[in-house]
Amino acid sequence: MNEPEFLKAATVQFQHQANNKKYNLLIMEKFIEQAALEQVKILTFPEMCITGYWHVPKLTAAEVSALAEPIADSPSLTLIRSLAIKHQMLIGAGIIERADDGRLYNAYVACMPDGSMHTHRKLHAFEHPAISSGERFTVFDTPWGVKVGILICWDNNLVENVRATALLGADILLAPHQTGGTDSRSPHAMKPIPLALWEERETRKEEITAAFKGPSGREWLMRWLPARAHDNGVFVLFSNGVGADDDEVRTGNAMILDPYGRIVSETWAAEDAMVSAELDLSLLAMSTGRRWIHGRRPDLYQILTQPQGYERDAIGARFSNAPPAR
């Protein structure tokens, strides 16, 4: 069978409800049916969209564990997996995983058209002390002749992770997030968006749009996200939460980027939404980043694998007020 030149993909932003798996799965099912009508083959949902996200740091370890599910017989993923088979679609969904050894992970699961599943564990998990960080990259084959990789939220901010995923052969990167409107400790990075603005979004449409497109939303993404696509010659499917998430406001900004870092589809709507695009797979082979990778000099890069002495764990790096040693 000839490999397709174009592949329909879509990415979703939606406002989940904390701990309300039934509600979140109903919203996801609605978008899956919409994607099926549009003949989408790869569909990306946000990080921890099944369980909810920013309330988790306030839970006890026992409460986080109660919210988690084992991947193999997850009731939530049973539904997503059945819809992936039904619609012959790759569907990516975020969940808290309870591993066989009892450890918990911020996980993202790609449910495949043949019923198989690929799980990525967030490499830099900071959501709760009871949640462990993953230890491996995730790249896998698809029925459409392209390889897909997964990196969750902060995984994408460390450039080494995206490069490693590309070196493992990824053509398309699923990049599920819960971001925008965070209280960054960096003076010129994201800052909170008032909850009142989200609650009054229907009467303050110009203000909420400006906030979602501004330095705590789209402008922040534009500082780095296109470079991840361009420098590594990959398509990026950026998915995100939107709206109030405990005491923060997610900015949505669901978008699809091509291997040149160009945005081919996006939204800054202050609502649940899906954006889709036909991925032109012919762009991959001669994209700038993919060509430049062939000029790498790995013999110079030993420093990338050598500890510098100032490394912190994910929680320390994310929340410490102390300036970095470097």
Side-chain angles (χ1 to χ4, degrees), residues 82-145:
S82 68
L83 293 171
I85 296 170
K86 175 184 176 182
H87 298 302
Q88 289 296 284
M89 187 187 301
L90 185 168
I91 304 173
I95 195 168
I96 301 176
E97 174 194 2
R98 185 187 303 111
D100 292 341
D101 62 2
R103 298 178 74 181
L104 306 178
Y105 295 95
N106 176 344
Y108 196 80
V109 182
C111 298
M112 303 296 289
D114 64 358
S116 63
M117 295 184 290
H118 299 278
T119 302
H120 177 73
R121 294 169 172 172
K122 189 173 184 178
L123 302 173
H124 307 275
F126 58 82
E127 293 76 23
H128 196 283
I131 296 178
S132 299
S133 291
E135 298 293 340
R136 64 175 179 82
F137 296 103
T138 306
V139 177
F140 52 90
D141 292 316
T142 71
W144 306 290

Side-chain angles (χ1 to χ4, degrees), residues 24-325:
N24 297 333
L25 288 166
L26 283 172
I27 298 297
M28 294 172 70
E29 187 171 8
K30 180 191 75 170
F31 279 115
I32 292 168
E33 296 301 327
Q34 179 183 341
L37 290 174
E38 296 185 21
Q39 298 185 311
V40 166
K41 295 302 181 186
I42 299 179
L43 179 62
T44 308
F45 284 101
E47 173 186 16
M48 283 171 58
C49 56
I50 292 175
T51 56
Y53 183 69
W54 201 231
H55 71 293
V56 168
K58 299 180 175 66
L59 300 180
T60 65
E63 289 170 331
V64 179
S65 182
L67 193 57
E69 299 180 20
I71 298 299
D73 55 358
S74 159
S76 299
L77 293 174
T78 295
L79 171 64
I80 304 301
R81 181 172 172 269
S82 68
L83 293 171
I85 296 170
K86 175 184 176 182
H87 298 302
Q88 289 296 284
M89 187 187 301
L90 185 168
I91 304 173
I95 195 168
I96 301 176
E97 174 194 2
R98 185 187 303 111
D100 292 341
D101 62 2
R103 298 178 74 181
L104 306 178
Y105 295 95
N106 176 344
Y108 196 80
V109 182
C111 298
M112 303 296 289
D114 64 358
S116 63
M117 295 184 290
H118 299 278
T119 302
H120 177 73
R121 294 169 172 172
K122 189 173 184 178
L123 302 173
H124 307 275
F126 58 82
E127 293 76 23
H128 196 283
I131 296 178
S132 299
S133 291
E135 298 293 340
R136 64 175 179 82
F137 296 103
T138 306
V139 177
F140 52 90
D141 292 316
T142 71
W144 306 290
V146 291
K147 289 190 174 184
V148 166
I150 304 172
L151 291 171
I152 301 172
C153 202
W154 197 21
D155 290 353
N156 293 277
N157 292 118
L158 280 83
V159 296
E160 295 93 336
N161 293 331
V162 186
R163 175 51 55 92
T165 301
L167 291 175
L168 288 168
D171 301 299
I172 299 170
L173 176 64
L174 310 187
H177 281 65
Q178 294 289 347
T179 194
T182 68
D183 190 9
S184 173
R185 284 146 179 77
S186 298
H188 299 287
M190 293 182 292
K191 299 302 173 188
I193 292 172
L195 284 166
L197 180 56
W198 170 257
E199 293 164 357
E200 299 165 10
R201 60 191 179 281
E202 293 300 324
T203 56
R204 301 171 66 183
K205 291 184 177 179
E206 290 188 6
E207 291 175 77
I208 193 73
T209 299
F212 278 22
K213 293 173 70 175
S216 291
R218 185 181 187 275
E219 283 184 23
W220 174 75
L221 294 172
M222 290 301 99
R223 296 177 192 175
W224 61 272
L225 188 58
R228 300 298 183 271
H230 169 273
D231 293 353
N232 296 287
V234 295
F235 290 96
V236 175
L237 307 185
F238 173 85
S239 180
N240 195 17
V242 69
D245 183 8
D246 199 72
D247 61 353
E248 294 186 343
V249 176
R250 307 282 164 243
T251 57
N253 302 114
M255 68 177 72
I256 298 173
L257 299 96
D258 77 5
Y260 288 91
R262 300 177 299 188
I263 299 171
V264 293
S265 185
E266 69 173 319
T267 180
W268 44 76
E271 62 188 14
D272 294 357
M274 182 181 83
V275 297
S276 62
E278 292 278 1
L279 307 186
D280 182 355
L281 302 181
S282 70
L283 295 176
L284 288 165
M286 291 298 290
S287 60
T288 313
R290 190 158 294 203
R291 289 174 45 238
W292 287 352
I293 283 176
H294 286 265
R296 293 174 65 250
R297 295 182 59 189
D299 53 304
L300 297 178
Y301 308 148
Q302 286 89 349
I303 192 171
L304 295 177
T305 61
Q306 296 171 354
Q308 300 303 301
Y310 50 71
E311 288 81 8
R312 300 170 177 169
D313 62 28
I315 291 176
R318 174 67 171 78
F319 296 110
S320 175
N321 286 312

